[in-house]
Amino acid sequence: MDERPGSGGEALFSFLYDVVIVVVARREDLIPAVRARYDMIPRRPDGSGDRDILYLDPMRNRGLGGGQGLRAPLASWISLLVSVVALLVAAGR
């Protein structure tokens, strides 16, 4: 990220490459800093820089609320139970 690439497709490719590196490192908070280095790529007219981070992590710091924390693990166990019953019925025929 030391050199600034030229304009056009090369700049966009380099920008996306740098953003992928930041996301893989789980440092999505650095995306605005990476974006600031690429002033040759036009910005959106609405100017919402937080929209990129929202797209990458729509849940943010929120957990599974409203009882979903209980239902989500039960769903996998119920699925396992249905699979075992289906296997037993199929084996019994």
Side-chain angles (χ1 to χ4, degrees):
M1 270 185 16
D2 292 307
E3 296 180 15
R4 286 188 168 192
S7 62
E10 181 182 327
L12 184 60
F13 177 78
S14 181
F15 168 69
L16 292 175
Y17 186 78
D18 290 344
V19 169
V20 167
I21 291 172
V22 167
V23 170
V24 168
R26 296 190 182 269
R27 292 295 311 267
E28 290 87 4
D29 57 314
L30 294 177
I31 290 176
V34 171
R35 180 65 179 100
R37 293 181 51 83
Y38 291 89
D39 53 350
M40 71 288 297
I41 299 174
R43 293 187 176 269
R44 292 188 198 111
D46 62 355
S48 62
D50 198 37
R51 193 165 104 181
D52 296 330
I53 295 173
L54 179 63
Y55 175 77
L56 291 172
D57 187 12
M59 292 290 287
R60 299 270 178 96
N61 295 328
R62 298 183 301 246
L64 296 174
Q68 288 180 347
L70 178 63
R71 287 189 301 248
L74 287 179
S76 61
W77 285 106
I78 291 171
S79 173
L80 178 65
L81 179 66
V82 169
S83 299
V84 169
V85 169
L87 182 64
L88 291 175
V89 169
R93 290 186 174 193

